[in-house]
Structure formats: structure tokens, C-alpha cells
Amino acid sequence: AHVLTRCAAVPGIDGVCCATTNLAADDAVAEEAARRGALVFRGSVEDVLARYAGAARAVKADVVLRVTSDCPAIDPAICGALLDLRTQTGAAYAANNMPASWPHGLDCEAFTREALDAADAHATRAVDREHVSPWMREKGDLPRANLEAPPGLPGATRWTLDYPEDYAFFEALFARLPLGPKGYSMAAVLGVL
């Protein structure tokens, strides 16, 4: 819910699509996404690249902004800046972690549908199929861009949800953040920390 709500606030997007698995265990994810007004696409558990390509085709996307659901503190303004950078540079693939300079958990990437379809057609390594973007990140002739963080951010900060202690961190964080869009920014999180 946090990720979907924040994604809906990204400037310049046309819609939010939750690309979840076709497992019955993820029915609750699909239901919550629909309740939050997101389109829902369900696909392979193992082949996440194919799932993303299928979702992009289903919604007729020209450009895909990818945010993972283990990043509940994603900042819509940073995502919007990444989309702007991709447009301004004409990059087929843009990210804000090449190299990592933002707190881990604010990661986002944007790529053209053409680049996504090429990755889906040509990527053969298991890591490419599981993690969506390695093929695009490593393809030598694919134009790429990186959104660097402003100077002065604390180093090695981790705001991602993988372990029970991460859940406890987010539970405490969200209880202290301002409600609504005022609480969606990196600055708001840094203020609480």
C-alpha cells in the first residue's frame, strides 16, 4: 500500500501497475493493489522479466518506471526526476544506482518499452530473468543515464524491507512521518531519523 500510494504520486506518470505473481499466495497483493486503484498484472514467479514485459504490453506502456515493493519509503519526487532525466537524455535505460549514491530503498529505474522487449527477447541468464534489468544495465550499446544523489547524504543508509528488523524500522518510521504527501519525501525520512 505504501509503495502503490507513493507511486501514484510520481509526477509525470500515466498509471500504476502492480506486476505480481500468479500464485494464490499473492492474491492479497493483487486485491490490495486493485483497492489502491492500481492496474494488476499477474505472471511468472521465476521469470520476473517476462512478467514486467507482459505488464508493459498489457498497459501499452512506452516507458516503464520500475519500483520494487521492498522499498516502501520510495520518494515520488526522485522517481519523477529520474523520468525527466531519461527523457532529457534520450536514454533507453536510466537508474539512480549506477553507482549507488542514494539511500538503499530509494532505488528506481526507468526504461523504454523497446529496451524491455529486447531484454525479454534476448536475456538468457537466470539473473537477467529474475531481476528484470541486468541485461539492460550491461548491454554495451544501450544508451544509459544515472541520476546522482545530491552531495551530503549519509552513506550506506538502508531503507529496504527484507528482514523482521526492517519491518520494525518501517513501523516506527511510518508512525512518525507526516501523513500524506508531506511524508513521502527523502527529506521527511531524514528528518525523522
Side-chain angles (χ1 to χ4, degrees):
H2 286 286
V3 173
L4 294 168
T5 301
R6 288 165 179 252
C7 284
V10 172
I13 65 157
D14 296 319
V16 176
C17 179
C18 177
T20 192
T21 78
N22 50 21
L23 293 178
D26 285 326
D27 288 350
V29 172
E31 290 166 11
E32 181 63 20
R35 192 170 26 258
R36 297 284 167 180
L39 300 169
V40 177
F41 181 86
R42 301 191 72 174
S44 173
V45 175
E46 295 86 17
D47 194 346
V48 186
L49 176 55
R51 187 184 340 148
Y52 262 80
R57 284 190 295 275
V59 300
K60 298 177 175 55
D62 295 321
V63 173
V64 173
L65 171 70
R66 180 172 182 244
V67 172
T68 58
S69 59
D70 59 353
C71 296
I74 195 73
D75 184 328
I78 294 169
C79 293
L82 181 72
L83 286 172
D84 288 344
L85 175 67
R86 198 220 58 81
T87 299
Q88 292 167 6
T89 62
Y93 176 86
N96 67 346
N97 56 9
M98 301 183 310
S101 59
W102 300 87
H104 180 51
L106 297 181
D107 304 338
C108 54
E109 52 192 352
F111 36 85
T112 64
R113 166 82 173 281
E114 184 178 349
L116 177 60
D117 287 344
D120 188 36
H122 301 293
T124 56
R125 299 179 310 173
V127 69
D128 295 329
R129 306 306 304 184
E130 180 185 353
H131 295 288
V132 180
S133 60
W135 187 90
M136 291 180 275
R137 291 172 74 97
E138 297 167 7
K139 180 87 171 98
D141 61 349
L142 197 69
R144 291 181 291 277
N146 181 58
L147 180 69
E148 292 186 29
L153 287 181
T157 308
R158 189 175 175 283
W159 305 344
T160 188
L161 181 56
D162 294 308
Y163 305 106
E165 55 271 22
D166 299 333
Y167 186 86
F169 165 77
F170 282 114
E171 193 171 42
L173 174 67
F174 287 127
R176 290 167 176 82
L177 283 174
L179 294 177
K182 290 182 179 178
Y184 296 172
S185 71
M186 175 183 67
V189 174
L190 289 171
V192 169
L193 296 180

